Structures are given as structure tokens and as C-alpha cells.
Amino acid sequence: MKDRTDAEAVRREKELAQKLADIVEFGTEADFVAAVKAYRPETGKEELRELIMQFRAGVRERRGLC
């Protein structure tokens, strides 16, 4: 049972990573926040703020704006 749970957790993390990569490439900050809240609803205000700052930096780098 534990192996299945761990495999599910790994699958969800990979899915989230791909979705976030797509959002950094093509999406908006609102898309990013919605994805984070959907996958990790327990994310606190300060953590979300830090993630948004990382998102912004990633967008600038990925889209060649820096």
C-alpha cells in the first residue's frame, strides 16, 4: 500500500512540475497561483509570495526578458 501511495505522490509531483513549466512558458501569474493552490492548498501566504517571486524570475529568464 505504501508503495502505491509513494508512486502516486511521485506522479503528482511530476504532473505539477510539467504544468508549472508550461505556465512559466505560456501562462499568467494567476494561472500559476491557481495551480499551486490546487496542488498544495496548505501553502501559506509567505510561501506563496516566495513562489510567485520565483515564478516571475523564471518567466523573465525563460521569455528572455532579463
Side-chain angles (χ1 to χ4, degrees), residues 5 7-8 12 15 17 19-20 22-24 27 30 33 36-39 41 43 48 50 52 55 59 64 66:
T5 302
E8 273 298 303
R12 282 193 315 270
E15 184 179 299
K19 184 171 185 143
L20 293 178
D22 290 346
I23 291 171
V24 168
V33 171
V36 169
K37 287 182 178 180
Y39 282 93
T43 302
L48 184 58
E50 181 61 33
I52 290 170
F55 168 79
V59 167
C66 46

Side-chain angles (χ1 to χ4, degrees), residues 31-47:
D31 296 332
F32 174 78
V33 171
V36 169
K37 287 182 178 180
Y39 282 93
R40 291 200 294 174
E42 74 280 0
T43 302
K45 188 176 184 177
E46 290 301 315
E47 182 181 9

Side-chain angles (χ1 to χ4, degrees), residues 54-65:
Q54 291 174 9
F55 168 79
R56 290 175 180 170
V59 167
R60 284 191 303 272
E61 181 179 322
R62 185 83 166 158
R63 296 180 184 176
L65 301 173

